[in-house]
Every structure is written in C-alpha cells, then in structure tokens.
C-alpha cells in the first residue's frame, strides 16, 4: 500500500504559511461546494422528471384510463386497460421464467460451486449479462423465437424480459445465501439432512427476505423495459389473445408509439402511462430497499 | 458411557453414517448446475445469434459494412459508419459530462454529507437509475430539447458561426434541439447513478486509518480526496467509468427520442445523428430481407464493443454490488 505524500503539505518556510493555508483552504472549499452542487443537480433532475410526469400525467389519468382499451389512430378517447394488463402479464411471465433459473443458479454459485473455476466463470459472465444492453437481448429472442415461429408473441416478450431478469436474481440470491452463517448449515447436516434438504429447508428459509428482494428488484428492472419488447411482444390496440400469440399490448411500447404521435389523446395517454409505470417502479425499488435494510 | 449401539457385545465397530444421497439430492444438484450453465449458454447464444443473423450483411459488404456511410434501403446498400460514430460520440459526451458529476456525488456522499442526510441522498441517486429509459427519452424530447434549442443552440450558433473548427463542431444548421450533444447529455444523467454508487462503495472500502493519518498531518478534505482516496480507489474508479460507458453505448430508448435519427454523418455535435441502438429500434419493425440482416449485423458490432468494454470494467471493479 503506497501512501503518496500530499505534495502541498511539504515543508515550507514559515513566512509563507499563511498564504499557503489560505490557498489550500480555498481549494478545499471550492471542492466541497462543487461536490455538493453536483449532488443537488442530480437530485434536481430526478425531481424535475418526476414533477414533469405528475404535471403532464395527472391530467391524462381518469377512470377511462383503466377501463377502456387503447384508441386506434385518429379515434377519440380511449384508455390504457389492455396495455396495463398486458404489461403485468408480460412482466410476471418474465419473472416466472427468471425466478427458478436465477434462484437455482445463485444457489449453485453459493452452495455447490463456491470458489471453483466454473463458478468464477459463471459469476463473471453473469455480471457481464447484468449490464448487457437490453436491445441485444431483444434481438436475440427475435432470432431464436420470433423469426423461426414467424410471429411476434407474448411468449417471446416474456422470455426476453426473463433473460434480463435472470442475472439480477442470480446475483442477489448468491449474495443473500452467502450471508447465511455456515454453522446453520452444519447444524442441519449434523442432523443427517442431505445437502439439498439443508439448502431448501434451512439456507433458503434463512435468506428468504433477501431473495424476495432480488426478485422485486428484477421486477422493477424489467417493468419499464421497452427496447426488447419492440422486437418480441410488439404492441397492438386491442385486447391480446389469451394464448399470448400475436402482438401483446403493453405500456412501454404504447408510450413509445403514442408519445410523438400527432394525436392529442395519444399524447395524453402516453403521459398517463409514463406516470403509472414510473411510480410503480419507484415504489417497487423503495420497498425492495426497505426489505434489504430491515434484514441487515 | 452410553453406548451408541444397544447391543452390549464387545466394542462396537464405529458406525459411519453416510449422508443419505437420495434421488432428490442428485436432481437438485444437477438442476442448480444446469441453471448456472444456462447463464453461459445465454451469453454464447446472444453472440452466436448476432453473428449468424448478421452474416448475410457481413458477407455482402465485407469490411465495407463498417467503413461505408451509405444507408440506402432503396438500393440495398448498408454501411455502419455513421451509427458507429454516433454511438461512440454520444457515449463520449456522456462520460465527459457524467464522470465529474458522478465523482463529485461519490465524494459528497462519503466525505461531506451529514450522516442523517446520506441515506435519503443515496436513495434519490439510486432512484435516478430506476427511472425507465423511455421516461428519460420523453423528458428529453418534451422538456429538455425545447429549452436546449432556445437557450443553448440558437445563441451558441450565432456566436460560433464562421469561427474555424469551433464553428463547425458547435454550429447547428437547424436548431431543433435534437442531436448528438443532446443525446449525450441525457445519457450522462442515466449513467451517473451507476458510476456514483460504485465509486461510493469503493471509497467506503478504503480503510479509515489512511484517511485519518492524512488528516493527522494536516491535510484538508480536498487533499485527502485528491492524494489518498483517489489514488487508492484509482483502478476501480476507471472500472466504474467503463461500466458507465457500457451502459451509454447500448442505451436505446432515451437516445432514440432525442438523437434526431439522421442517417448522415455531420461534423457538428449539434446536428442530428443516430446510434447503433437507435437505428435498430427505429427501423427494425419495417425492415425486411437484407436490411434486417444489416440491422442484426449492427447489433453484432454493438455486442462486441460493449462486451469488450464490460469485460475490462468487470475485471477492474471485480464484485462490487450493482444491480
């Protein structure tokens, strides 16, 4: 560990002390003000965005927003009912795909693989997937599901969202399982329980709230994803078919299509949809953070 | 001595109880291994699908696909150069604006903020990451773009017009507010929470003895940050910045809203352009045949660029929490 000597603190003739002290104090003050200013600028932008959503979105919210389906081009009124339900279905489909895979993979890393080469590689690749651009995952699902089956579908959308959610769940599951103290596992093993039973009945139970948090974070992550849905679930202005074949209406793509359209009711709905989706995601994130802090 | 065995005939042979290995045990272990391997398969699958899907375009145009600036759907001529330049320049602008802001925020959170204030401020910064990309796009298009056009582009264009170099780079021919610089600016705010929170975690991990000893010889807070904390966290901060770069390169929806989606290359950062991601998002649903392959080939280029950036980032930052 090398501690570089602060260049400004070297010995100086006493006569210059006052001046040096002053310039150092000024540099210090300037840095403090700048750092605080930057922080408030970032917070200001957050509140600017939230304020804009509330101002423009509240006007578009009405009972019709939740009861009527999205209007076609040029038609009056309309709501977001089909898009809201479609988004919920796609998001939960994504979580349903990602949870078993993510939890099991996280369990492998924490309980079986530990520090083996394979586990380290998987951990590394998982971290890469965690920050991979979501548009690429959309393209991937397009190539493996939409093109071969000749059609956009809710299933493809759900799989795309699931692939985005998997690395988040793997990461949190592993982190949470690692926090479970070893003696707890040893106690289970001492009673004669096989590893699988120790993991499912003891370790998972002890890490439950943390693992749920991971799933909530993944939910928050995929709920607003737009790019992967453009290539997979697409969108439409009707109720989607219960088999989820064909385009499935969803909030993010609806917002994307309606926001810059020339129809006033479309723009209103885009703002209302943005308000709904952002507030749900922020609420989810805050709840997830609360759980993490509560369990520590 | 209580005997373990209930037969009292002679010294009992030690009963070694093996852990029971039921079928569930084997199934569970293999299922978890399979799930973990699926992570590898996913990345390999993404890589393969991009290469195979984009292959017809690479075969048709060869290296010219990367260097050509023509994007002509009528004559089936496709070149990636303007999109590559747009991707790199928006990401670079995002870093130039976002990195100082992020570092300032990390320093404020770890060194300056009063203890009761830290938690709400970090939550607010993290919520900045939770806001969906499409919302940044709408904020950019409807709020930021008009302000930017009226108060920055028009006055600035009047000032720089005719000046060599600066007059080219900063002059906007049609001051609509849309363009490469606008996209870079919006991206900056999207990557701030990632860089700031990783840097904060890094600064917090530095042993406080180092900080205390520096304060002990009379260093000011700024000197502690500059000469102790930054050199200590140096490499990981570069990793955090590269992680932000990875985000900025692949960001789609926000950029699509504000970049202007022009297929031409312009020397001015005030003019509309396009990025790889925005071009794919824009044209994909109307694309057919070779155009579709060309778009997937763009995705392939994006994949390899972000892949390299993210690998370097992850090696430098190894295992800091970020979701």
């Amino acid at each position: 560990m090398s501690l570089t000597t602060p260049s400004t603190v070297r010995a100086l003739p006493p006569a210059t002390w006052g001046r040096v002290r002053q310039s150092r104090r000024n540099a210090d003050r300037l840095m403090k003000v700048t750092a605080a200013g930057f922080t408030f600028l970032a917070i200001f932008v957050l509140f600017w965005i939230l304020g804009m959503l509330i101002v423009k979105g509240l006007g578009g919210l009405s009972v019709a927003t939740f009861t009527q389906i999205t209007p076609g081009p040029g038609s009056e009124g309309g709501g977001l009912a089909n898009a809201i339900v479609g988004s919920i279905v796609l998001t939960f489909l994504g979580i349903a795909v990602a949870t078993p895979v993510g939890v099991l993979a996280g369990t492998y890393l924490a309980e079986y693989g530990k520090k083996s080469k394979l586990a380290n590689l998987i951990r590394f690749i998982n971290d890469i997937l965690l920050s991979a651009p979501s548009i690429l995952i959309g393209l991937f699902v397009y190539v493996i599901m939409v093109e071969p089956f000749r059609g956009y579908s809710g299933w493809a959308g759900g799989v795309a969202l699931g692939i985005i959610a998997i690395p988040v769940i793997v990461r949190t599951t592993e982190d949470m399982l690692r926090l479970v103290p070893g003696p707890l596992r040893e106690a289970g093993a001492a009673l004669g329980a096989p590893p699988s039973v120790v993991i499912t009945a003891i370790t998972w139970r002890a890490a439950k709230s943390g693992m749920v948090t991971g799933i909530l974070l993944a939910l928050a992550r995929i709920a607003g994803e737009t790019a992967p849905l453009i290539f997979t679930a697409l969108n439409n202005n009707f109720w989607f078919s219960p088999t989820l074949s064909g385009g499935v209406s969803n909030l993010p793509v609806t917002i994307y299509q309606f926001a810059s359209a020339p129809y006033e009711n479309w723009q209103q709905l885009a703002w209302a949809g943005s308000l709904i989706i952002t507030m749900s995601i922020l609420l989810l994130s805050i709840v997830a953070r609360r759980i993490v802090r509560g369990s520590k | 001595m209580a005997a373990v065995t209930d037969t009292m005939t002679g010294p009992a042979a030690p009963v070694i109880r093996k852990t029971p290995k039921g079928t569930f045990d084997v199934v569970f272990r293999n299922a978890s291994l399979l799930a973990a391997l699926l992570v590898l398969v996913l990345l390999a699958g993404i890589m393969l699908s991009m290469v195979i899907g984009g292959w017809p375009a690479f075969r048709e145009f060869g290296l010219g696909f990367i260097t050509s600036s023509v994007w002509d759907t009528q004559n089936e001529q496709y070149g990636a150069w303007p999109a590559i330049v747009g991707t790199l320049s928006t990401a670079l602008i995002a870093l130039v604006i976002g990195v100082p802001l992020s570092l300032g925020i990390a320093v404020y959170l770890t060194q300056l903020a009063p203890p009761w204030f830290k938690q709400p401020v970090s939550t607010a910064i993290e919520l900045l990451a939770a806001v969906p990309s499409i919302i940044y796009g709408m904020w950019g298009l409807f709020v930021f773009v008009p302000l930017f056009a009226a108060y920055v582009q028009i006055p600035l264009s009047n000032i720089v017009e005719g000046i060599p170099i600066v007059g080219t780079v900063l002059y906007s021919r049609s001051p609509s507010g849309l363009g490469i610089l606008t996209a870079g600016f919006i991206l900056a705010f999207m990557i701030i929470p990632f860089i700031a929170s990783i840097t904060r975690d890094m600064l917090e991990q530095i042993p406080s003895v180092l900080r205390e000893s520096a304060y002990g010889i009379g260093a000011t807070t700024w000197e502690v940050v500059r000469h102790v904390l930054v050199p200590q966290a140096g490499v990981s901060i570069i990793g955090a910045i590269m992680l932000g770069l990875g985000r900025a390169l692949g960001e789609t929806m926000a950029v699509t809203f504000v970049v202007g989606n022009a297929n031409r290359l312009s020397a001015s950062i005030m003019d509309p352009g396009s990025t790889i991601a925005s071009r794919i998002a824009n044209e994909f649903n109307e694309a057919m045949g070779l155009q579709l392959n060309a778009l997937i080939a763009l995705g392939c280029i994006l994949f390899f660029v972000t892949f390299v950036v993210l690998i370097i980032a992850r090696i430098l930052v190894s295992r800091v929490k970020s979701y």
Side-chain angles (χ1 to χ4, degrees), chain A residues 123-132, chain B residues 43 307 310-311 314:
Chain A
R123 231 168 251 137
F124 188 74
I125 298 296
N126 190 66
D127 281 353
I128 302 274
L129 271 184
L130 195 63
S131 5
Chain B
L43 193 80
F307 188 65
L310 290 176
I311 284 182
R314 284 296 171 182

Side-chain angles (χ1 to χ4, degrees), chain A residues 1-9 24-25 27-28 31-32 35-36 38-43 45-50 52-53 56 100-101 104-105 107-109 112 118 121-137 139-140 142-144 147 152 163 166 168 170-172 174-176 178 192-197 199-200 204 217 220-221 224 226-227 230-231 234 252-253 255-256 259-260 267 270-271 274 277-278 281-282 285-286 289 293 296, chain B residues 17 19-22 24-25 28-29 31-33 35-43 45-46 49-50 53 100-102 104-105 107-109 112 117 119 121 123-128 130-136 138-139 141-144 147 189 192 207 210 213-214 217-223 225 227-228 231-232 243 246-247 249-253 256-257 276-278 280-282 284-285 292 295-296 299-300 302-303 306-307 310-311 314-315 319-323:
Chain A
M1 229 178 286
S2 74
L3 183 60
T4 48
T5 316
S7 57
T8 41
V9 199
R24 286 176 53 201
R25 208 178 290 158
D28 188 49
M31 184 277 293
K32 282 178 177 164
F38 284 174
T39 310
F40 287 105
L41 178 63
I43 296 174
V45 168
L46 176 71
F47 282 102
W48 192 0
I49 292 172
L50 296 185
M52 170 203 76
L53 284 175
K56 299 205 172 191
V101 177
L104 281 175
T107 304
Y108 175 81
L109 294 179
Y112 292 115
L118 178 67
L121 176 71
I122 291 170
R123 231 168 251 137
F124 188 74
I125 298 296
N126 190 66
D127 281 353
I128 302 274
L129 271 184
L130 195 63
S131 5
S134 60
I135 189 172
L136 293 178
I137 290 165
L139 276 184
F140 168 59
Y142 176 86
V143 171
I144 63 161
E147 215 171 28
Y152 297 98
I163 295 175
I166 285 173
V168 182
V170 172
R171 185 71 184 269
T172 36
E174 194 204 344
D175 287 350
M176 293 305 157
R178 279 183 165 194
S196 59
V197 175
I199 291 168
T200 48
W204 277 6
L217 283 173
R221 169 81 197 269
T226 316
I230 297 178
F231 315 121
L234 207 61
V253 182
I255 295 169
Y256 175 52
S260 34
Q267 290 200 9
W271 286 113
S274 304
I277 214 164
T278 310
I281 290 173
L282 293 190
S285 314
I286 292 173
R289 262 163 244 284
R293 230 175 297 148
K296 266 182 188 162
Chain B
R17 288 206 51 183
T19 317
K21 281 241 165 29
F24 177 67
D25 211 50
F28 185 79
R29 195 198 155 97
S32 73
L33 175 63
L37 289 174
L38 187 67
V39 171
L40 301 184
V41 173
L42 278 178
L43 193 80
I46 295 172
S49 67
M50 293 295 129
L101 282 161
S102 314
I105 292 167
V107 167
Y108 180 80
L109 282 176
L112 305 173
F117 200 46
Q119 197 55 59
V121 173
T123 308
I125 300 292
E126 279 162 22
L127 287 184
L128 215 46
V131 174
S133 152
I134 191 166
I135 304 299
Y136 278 100
M138 289 181 74
W139 172 72
L141 183 62
F142 293 105
V143 180
F144 185 75
L147 291 176
F189 279 94
I192 280 172
L210 288 180
S213 54
I217 55 169
T220 62
T221 310
W222 164 237
E223 285 157 2
V225 170
H227 298 288
V228 180
Q232 278 294 316
L243 213 55
R247 293 257 169 195
L249 289 172
E251 190 50 63
T252 311
M253 299 320 294
T256 308
F257 268 98
I276 291 178
S278 74
I280 299 173
N282 243 315
F284 198 84
N285 288 329
L292 199 63
L295 289 173
I296 298 177
C300 187
L302 178 64
F303 176 85
T306 48
F307 188 65
L310 290 176
I311 284 182
R314 284 296 171 182
I315 290 171
R319 301 296 285 178
V320 172
K321 273 199 174 181
S322 78
Y323 300 105

